[in-house]
Amino acid sequence: MTERQTRILPVQRLNKPLAHNKTVAQWWAEEKTTNTPEAAAVLEAAEALRTSDIPVGFPTETVYGLGADATRSASVQGIYKAKKRPSDNPLIVHVDSIEMVNRLLNPDGRSSMTKIPAIYEPLISRFWPGALTILLPNPEGSLLAKEVTANLPTFGVRMPSSAFARLLIHVAGRPLAGPSANASTKPSPTTAQHVYHDLQGRIDIILDGGPCGVGVESTVVDGLSDPPAILRPGGIGIEEIKACPGWENVQVGYHDSALQSKEAPRAPGMKYRHYSPKARVVLFEAGSDLSQVAGRVTQELASSQSANDSCGRKIGIVRTKTWPLAIQLASDAKASAQTQQTSSDNDDTLPIRQISTRIKDVSTTIFDVNLGSSAESIARGLFAALRSLDAENVDAIYIEGIRDDEGDLSAAVMNRLRKAAEVFVTI
């Protein structure tokens, strides 16, 4: 792919909740007359989405998306090229309104409309706009590019709660195919700088709206099956979905590991290894005995000694609920003062403590990250932590898992961690 000049255009001022009783159209009617840099950035990005085959990076409430006109094949192909994404991995369509969904379901524009299946009405009423993707039948004569569905008979669609994302879709006047704006298999981006790190030279425009609030992608549900199923855990919790009429018996239809190579994924994020940093990731399941965790890490460090150890080793530790600082591997060492290091050079500050010690007589630097104890804080910081530790060129990352049933986001957090990990440990 030809190297491109990638620009980051600030739009933080516009990345805010929509004023009460104001529509996106009314908001834009006022904003576009201001001649501000942010309004100019939206107009430039919207024009690129309509006319260019190069996708645009943009913020949502979950993670940064890589947007392209979902109705043009050449545009959607640009996503696969930029991400180096396998072509059998379907894309989620982002819309700004129910009316846009109805146009996708009724491409011929006839008065006898095909409606959104009734099973989804309780979910849409409660969670849209929001971090929920629903699976709909792709109609005959579909407006969507065939690359969006990866030849499946269905397509996934969501309406972001991010007012800015809906504004961009409105100004572009197109439904946007929008996977996460990272290189395929890498941790999802929660800042514009993460997008730039992965896609610099592959895309032209990144709209910088600041850090994302949720930190994991949308939940994907299939109400066309009986019983309905959750195909990917995400920003809407499983228990929240079960509380909706018609969804009390919803089934878990996903695996925390990748599907076998010949299986067709029903939704994004199901088939391939995802969310993986360069470093080897070892995930300890919740409740693992701390002394055995420390012993396992020490044993791995000892067994991986090499001629390069004269230069020292680097490891990352990601803590959540119970692990102490550096899992007590360096209890007698002096830790550096805690500093606010940024993930991938800017934005989304993350507290990382750097500790120098010796383990098995080898100089070892430990980069310790505490994500906090709530599923919400863990979700917000998870991808940034993996990226920050990658930036430190650590050899391995050891992560404290959480229980799948602790909070509405916990299943999504553990799903992402299990897909990122090379090794799962329960001790």
Side-chain angles (χ1 to χ4, degrees):
M1 191 171 183
T2 305
E3 184 79 8
R4 314 189 70 86
Q5 294 297 317
T6 303
R7 293 174 296 136
I8 298 179
L9 306 180
V11 293
Q12 286 95 329
R13 184 178 63 82
L14 298 181
N15 195 20
K16 60 184 181 180
L18 189 61
H20 186 59
N21 290 331
K22 183 178 289 188
T23 66
V24 168
Q26 291 169 334
W27 179 28
W28 179 242
E30 297 172 2
E31 182 63 35
K32 68 180 179 181
T33 64
T34 61
N35 296 318
T36 61
E38 294 88 351
V42 171
L43 285 170
E44 181 180 355
E47 178 67 14
L49 289 166
R50 283 192 297 270
T51 62
S52 171
D53 297 336
I54 307 301
V56 171
F58 69 101
T60 77
E61 76 279 17
T62 55
V63 299
Y64 270 71
L66 189 62
D69 179 355
T71 67
R72 291 192 297 114
S73 284
S75 179
V76 177
Q77 288 169 12
I79 289 176
Y80 287 102
K81 292 176 183 177
K83 286 176 63 71
K84 298 183 178 178
R85 179 186 176 105
S87 60
D88 64 345
N89 202 2
L91 301 172
I92 291 172
V93 178
H94 293 67
V95 298
D96 68 340
S97 63
I98 293 292
E99 289 73 24
M100 186 173 279
V101 179
N102 287 331
R103 288 197 296 273
L104 293 175
L105 290 174
N106 298 273
D108 56 9
R110 293 177 182 173
S111 56
S112 56
M113 292 185 62
T114 299
K115 296 182 178 179
I116 298 172
I119 184 70
Y120 290 121
E121 290 177 1
L123 300 187
I124 289 174
S125 175
R126 180 171 176 183
F127 301 122
W128 270 21
L132 181 75
T133 294
I134 63 175
L135 233 57
L136 294 175
N138 198 29
E140 184 177 352
S142 173
L143 299 175
L144 296 174
K146 60 183 176 58
E147 292 82 0
V148 170
T149 64
N151 295 317
L152 293 173
T154 57
F155 68 96
V157 62
R158 86 176 185 100
M159 189 191 306
S161 66
S162 164
F164 178 81
R166 299 201 310 277
L167 175 69
L168 179 64
I169 298 166
H170 169 76
V171 179
R174 305 286 193 276
L176 298 185
S180 55
N182 55 310
S184 187
T185 78
K186 297 304 179 184
S188 295
T190 53
T191 71
Q193 287 69 31
H194 295 165
V195 182
Y196 187 83
H197 178 272
D198 279 14
L199 302 182
Q200 177 187 5
R202 302 188 201 176
I203 62 176
D204 294 334
I205 298 171
I206 302 170
L207 298 174
D208 182 1
C212 298
V214 177
V216 293
E217 300 89 344
S218 63
T219 302
V220 181
V221 297
D222 180 4
L224 306 178
S225 61
D226 185 16
I230 295 174
L231 301 184
R232 182 180 74 180
I236 304 298
I238 294 173
E239 294 305 316
E240 293 179 282
I241 292 171
K242 285 184 175 180
C244 294
W247 292 82
E248 296 88 350
N249 297 317
V250 64
Q251 303 296 301
V252 171
Y254 61 86
H255 302 278
D256 285 337
S257 56
L259 295 177
Q260 297 300 311
S261 59
K262 293 184 179 180
E263 294 183 74
R266 293 161 64 191
M270 295 186 72
K271 183 169 184 179
Y272 297 96
R273 187 170 178 232
H274 277 61
Y275 321 115
S276 304
K278 293 179 295 183
R280 178 172 179 266
V281 175
V282 179
L283 171 63
F284 291 88
E285 297 285 351
S288 296
D289 180 82
L290 179 62
S291 63
Q292 294 188 52
V293 170
R296 171 67 180 261
V297 174
T298 301
Q299 181 183 27
E300 287 201 357
L301 291 173
S303 63
S304 64
Q305 289 184 20
S306 68
N308 295 328
D309 283 341
S310 59
C311 301
R313 292 173 299 191
K314 295 180 179 181
I315 63 171
I317 293 175
V318 179
R319 298 184 287 127
T320 56
K321 290 181 175 291
T322 64
W323 284 6
L325 177 68
I327 54 174
Q328 298 179 340
L329 288 174
S331 56
D332 57 348
K334 291 184 178 180
S336 66
Q338 186 163 324
T339 58
Q340 290 288 329
Q341 286 189 306
T342 60
S343 53
S344 296
D345 303 322
N346 205 347
D347 257 359
D348 200 13
T349 55
L350 196 68
I352 299 180
R353 181 167 288 184
Q354 181 177 328
I355 302 166
S356 298
T357 188
R358 295 189 70 81
I359 299 176
K360 293 294 183 180
D361 293 325
V362 176
S363 176
T364 303
T365 302
I366 300 172
F367 294 90
D368 181 277
V369 184
N370 185 358
L371 295 181
S373 59
S374 72
E376 290 75 17
S377 67
I378 296 167
R380 278 195 302 271
L382 173 60
F383 292 138
L386 295 178
R387 286 180 172 272
S388 291
L389 294 174
D390 246 5
E392 299 293 349
N393 292 314
V394 299
D395 302 303
I397 301 173
Y398 300 94
I399 303 178
E400 177 189 8
I402 62 175
R403 288 169 53 101
D404 294 73
D405 56 358
E406 290 186 354
D408 289 325
L409 286 173
S410 58
V413 167
M414 288 305 295
N415 172 264
R416 304 315 191 263
L417 284 175
R418 291 180 183 125
K419 285 183 179 292
E422 293 183 22
V423 180
F424 314 109
V425 181
T426 302
I427 50 179

